[in-house]
Amino acid sequence: MDNYLGITLNEFIIRRQSDFKYATGELSRLLSHIGVAAKIVNREVNKAGLVDVLGDVGTINTQGEAQQKLDVYADSQFIHALRASGEVCGMASEEVDDIVTFDSILAKDGNYIVCIDPLDGSSNIDVNVSIGTIFSIYRRVSQRGHLAENADFLQEGIKQVAGGYVIYGSSTMLVYTTGKGVNGFTLDPSIGEFCLSHANLVIPENGSLYSINEGYMRKFDESIQRYIKYVQEIDPETKRPYKARYIGSLVADFHRNLLNGGIYLYPATQDQPNGKLRLLYEANPLAFIVEQSGGMAVDGANRILDLKPNTLHQRTPLIIGSTNMVKKVMEFIEND
Ligand code: AHG
Ligand code: MN
Ligand code: MN
């Protein structure tokens, strides 16, 4: 696939369509539509300091968090793009209480639903630090020709047909998987296209970066506290102490660890026994990507992709990254 390097996202999607037996091109078109919406959001993110899109809008989202103007903008861009696409019958967004169903004849016939965190890392928007978008795509379980239903969204992560993210960083990248490896595309602003830059991404089995909000140290279970002390011990053989890296934008922390090897943890805390991150919009798509690149994602007891969601905005603890690092955390948890 290395000889595909440099080809555009659309070209790549078309070439890979033959990976799927009986593919009708619907998923391919849907992925292209997500790429276009990402470019539109990227345009706004890039000029955020110049126009009046910084700051909060004074509203609180369904998670009880203050919505930023760009949260709302990104959310409406993705909903608008996917409503018009014709392949999608409904969406669930971190920013919206209930599922959004699309009622045109074309959309009701759509075979797919999308779960999205339109802007991840909201607290970093105003300070010019990398932020992202995270998405996942499922085949609907309800009948085509009708409105989407909650059951379409409450599927185990293992049922995803695609998962991905966009990182609006020093360059903008789109990384996704359809279950046949992970590929990354960098936006070339001069031609306005995502071009294949990272073919067949593989996460190193071991790493020496750890990402966790250590300010919450005393709120974590003892096993996690002991793990943090372990990573800080001096042992050149195991490359400890590990380097601490925490941006506070999950996408950016995850992306770095995917490329360089590392682990990201957002465990349960005393006041948030289910952690903070959302299963549908954050944990599942990244778990799909990490597994497809050779890594692991767990909630501290179970594989993330096996969890059956009960509610749309369900939260989950998340431990994700290089396989041997995730296994090490699990040793600490199991020996508790
Ligand atoms: P979002 O901006 O979509 O609400 O997500 C924020 C998440 C995630 O991106 C980040 O890793 C985490 O919240 C940071 O939380 P803390 O500030 O509690 O560390
Ligand atoms: Mn998020
Ligand atoms: Mn968000």
Side-chain angles (χ1 to χ4, degrees):
M1 188 151 24
D2 279 352
N3 53 0
Y4 281 12
L5 277 180
I7 69 168
T8 66
L9 174 66
N10 282 344
E11 183 71 24
F12 180 87
I13 291 169
I14 293 164
R15 291 199 202 172
R16 292 298 291 268
Q17 198 180 310
S18 55
D19 283 353
F20 304 96
K21 260 195 193 164
Y22 317 117
T24 57
E26 284 174 282
L27 179 61
S28 300
R29 284 197 296 276
L30 170 51
L31 287 165
S32 299
H33 281 122
I34 290 179
V36 173
K39 284 193 262 186
I40 295 171
V41 171
N42 176 66
R43 189 185 63 200
E44 294 309 303
V45 166
N46 266 216
K47 60 183 185 198
L50 297 172
V51 289
D52 188 28
V53 288
L54 294 179
D56 62 52
V57 266
T59 49
I60 301 291
N61 73 5
T62 181
Q63 331 274 326
E65 298 153 347
Q67 287 184 304
Q68 306 295 307
K69 287 179 192 165
L70 271 175
D71 274 331
V72 175
Y73 178 82
D75 187 51
S76 62
Q77 278 305 326
F78 280 101
I79 291 180
H80 174 75
L82 297 179
R83 187 194 296 276
S85 78
E87 293 91 29
V88 177
C89 60
M91 281 178 69
S93 162
E94 182 195 88
E95 300 300 331
V96 186
D97 290 7
D98 296 314
I99 60 169
V100 179
T101 57
F102 301 150
D103 56 8
S104 71
I105 292 175
L106 192 64
K108 280 199 290 191
D109 207 34
N111 202 16
Y112 296 100
I113 63 99
V114 173
C115 298
I116 198 158
D117 176 355
L119 256 212
D120 173 67
S122 304
S123 64
N124 284 323
I125 293 173
D126 288 4
V127 291
N128 209 352
V129 170
S130 297
I131 49 181
T133 293
I134 318 176
F135 62 91
S136 81
I137 303 174
Y138 295 78
R139 211 163 272 121
R140 72 190 297 177
V141 292
S142 61
Q143 241 190 324
R144 285 178 93 154
H146 297 266
L147 289 177
E149 296 169 10
N150 269 351
D152 295 323
F153 298 85
L154 300 178
Q155 301 189 54
E156 294 92 338
I158 192 72
K159 307 242 171 79
Q160 286 171 96
V161 293
Y165 61 84
V166 185
I167 175 167
Y168 312 100
S170 48
S171 56
T172 295
M173 280 190 72
L174 188 151
V175 176
Y176 82 99
T177 182
T178 52
K180 307 238 177 223
V182 180
N183 291 286
F185 302 79
T186 302
L187 184 64
D188 180 340
S190 64
I191 57 169
E193 294 278 4
F194 283 108
C195 298
L196 182 64
S197 52
H198 297 65
N200 265 333
L201 276 168
V202 175
I203 185 170
E205 266 194 314
N206 298 295
S208 52
L209 300 176
Y210 76 104
S211 315
I212 185 167
N213 190 333
E214 241 169 281
Y216 303 150
M217 179 81 161
R218 294 201 168 75
K219 292 184 174 185
F220 296 140
D221 286 351
E222 266 180 33
S223 53
I224 300 292
Q225 296 193 26
R226 280 191 288 112
Y227 174 73
I228 294 174
K229 285 185 190 132
Y230 162 84
V231 303
Q232 294 172 343
E233 276 164 17
I234 299 173
D235 176 21
E237 216 160 279
T238 50
K239 293 195 179 149
R240 285 180 294 151
Y242 296 156
K243 285 188 199 309
R245 291 285 184 275
Y246 192 76
I247 296 168
S249 293
L250 173 62
V251 167
D253 280 309
F254 175 82
H255 182 71
R256 183 202 51 243
N257 293 353
L258 175 68
L259 297 185
N260 295 342
I263 187 164
Y264 175 97
L265 304 96
Y266 207 114
T269 59
Q270 269 164 18
D271 36 357
Q272 293 191 297
N274 295 319
K276 175 184 183 188
L277 301 173
R278 286 128 293 207
L279 178 59
L280 266 61
Y281 318 115
E282 293 165 321
N284 270 335
L286 298 186
F288 192 20
I289 289 176
V290 88
E291 285 201 7
Q292 280 295 314
S293 70
M296 273 179 82
V298 297
D299 69 354
N302 313 289
R303 178 185 179 207
I304 290 289
L305 294 181
D306 286 336
L307 298 174
K308 172 86 179 99
N310 296 314
T311 56
L312 282 182
H313 300 293
Q314 189 168 323
R315 294 177 194 264
T316 179
L318 179 66
I319 301 166
I320 188 166
S322 294
T323 296
N324 289 338
M325 298 180 88
V326 174
K327 283 188 177 158
K328 192 72 193 175
V329 181
M330 291 307 289
E331 277 174 31
F332 278 86
I333 295 174
E334 280 154 16
N335 295 330
D336 207 18

